[in-house]
Amino acid sequence: MNSITAEKTATFSEAELMALGTKAFTGLGLEQNDARDVARILVTADLFGLSTHGLSRIESYGERLEVKGIKARPRITVEQVAPALVRVDGDNGVGPLVGMRALEAAMATAKQTGVGVAFARGSNHFGPVSPYSLIAAEAGFASIIGSNATTTIAPWGGSDARLGNSPVGFGVPNPGGRPFLLDMAISVVARAKIRNALKRGEAIPDTWATDKTGRATTDPAAALDGFLLPIGGHKGYGLALIVDMFAGLLSGAAYLTHVKSWVDAPDEPQNLGHFFILIDTRHLGSTAWLAERINDFAAILHDSPPADATRPVLVPGEIELDNLARHRRDGLALDPAVLALLEQHAAKA
């Protein structure tokens, strides 16, 4: 496609975003089909309104690709270790590419056995969970998906970072309707939100993070030198620990402090791990059966009288799916700096 500039249009269609993202990652050395799969995850994140995990990731992914910290053309392998269990070696590929290959392997296995579990190792940051959950749900699969991450959270009662802000998500399909999608980091907020606050010169709530001494702070710079706070106190710590055990320990990937920081060592493999647990809901009943039950489930929640009349009750995923529908209809504006970087890499394709 021709170079797209801010002067031509203020917004971009999904097709334009996909084309630009694909071309940018092709310019960074990926094969076209692989670049398209990476773009699919990141563009969906942008359409969901998750801009910190969308095409803006071209900056960090691109830097690591250029210094060979990530392989542009990995040899990703899939090993069937049991009827319902596969192991994926990402060979240090771009995270969303490894994630897509693991998702595809889990879906193929679940079609055969009803349940498919894929553990991936040798990966990198794979974006948010919800795009994978949506792809799975639209294909009829309920899912539990997670990844580990660079250490940013102290163990409960500890004074240094030993756990990652490991995301986990759940998805349940709704035939003919909107799926339920829950995508959550274990911290109160992602580090990307703190980095963005620092770029804008804004203070942060003191519930987001601590400084390096463990004291709550409103200074984003101090927070980036300190620790993220987990949701629910000790319960969030426990959840972060379990997600890392599934994503890192069981997969054969790095875990806890064995995970290298992509900021401190951009030229070294992180060996992140992911897990994809999929259930083919068609083995449980007809699509009509599931649609009736999930729509009744949603109605029970939606029918609760709101405490604030201007804020009706929502179910997980509604905000993101509303954003998706709006952006598909009206287009999406990209940050000028992100657009410039995308076009810079696309020009090399």
Side-chain angles (χ1 to χ4, degrees), residues 156-215:
W156 194 248
S159 59
D160 60 354
R162 303 219 168 189
L163 291 100
N165 186 21
S166 303
V168 65
F170 302 78
V172 180
N174 181 8
R178 287 180 155 193
F180 276 51
L181 303 173
L182 175 63
D183 181 357
M184 53 183 280
I186 307 304
S187 66
V188 177
V189 297
R191 276 178 74 84
K193 287 192 175 182
I194 299 176
R195 284 195 294 268
N196 287 346
L198 179 62
K199 289 179 181 178
R200 295 191 297 264
E202 298 174 355
I204 61 172
D206 64 5
T207 55
W208 284 12
T210 70
D211 62 19
K212 61 184 178 182
T213 68
R215 296 175 180 172

Side-chain angles (χ1 to χ4, degrees), residues 227-305:
F227 318 118
L228 295 175
L229 286 170
I231 56 173
H234 67 282
K235 295 180 181 179
Y237 158 62
L239 184 55
L241 184 154
I242 292 298
V243 172
D244 199 344
M245 291 193 80
F246 272 69
L249 189 146
L250 292 180
S251 71
Y255 52 84
L256 299 179
T257 55
H258 295 310
V259 175
K260 293 184 184 297
S261 167
W262 62 267
V263 174
D264 297 336
D267 58 340
E268 296 183 31
Q270 280 194 289
N271 191 19
L272 287 187
H274 322 306
F275 65 87
F276 294 78
I277 303 172
L278 300 189
I279 300 167
D280 189 340
T281 59
R282 288 156 295 202
H283 287 266
L284 300 174
S286 68
T287 55
W289 169 84
L290 180 58
E292 180 182 3
R293 290 178 64 80
I294 198 167
N295 288 328
D296 178 60
F297 192 101
I300 291 172
L301 298 169
H302 283 145
D303 288 346
S304 176

Side-chain angles (χ1 to χ4, degrees), residues 16-18 20-22 24-25 38-46 50-61 332 334 338-339 341-342:
E16 288 174 326
L17 292 170
M18 278 296 301
L20 181 56
T22 299
F25 279 101
V38 172
R40 182 179 185 187
I41 296 300
L42 301 183
V43 168
T44 302
D46 275 320
L50 307 173
S51 61
T52 56
H53 286 56
L55 287 172
S56 64
R57 287 285 165 168
I58 191 75
E59 180 178 4
S60 57
Y61 294 2
L332 176 77
L334 278 180
V338 173
L339 175 59
L341 195 53
L342 286 165

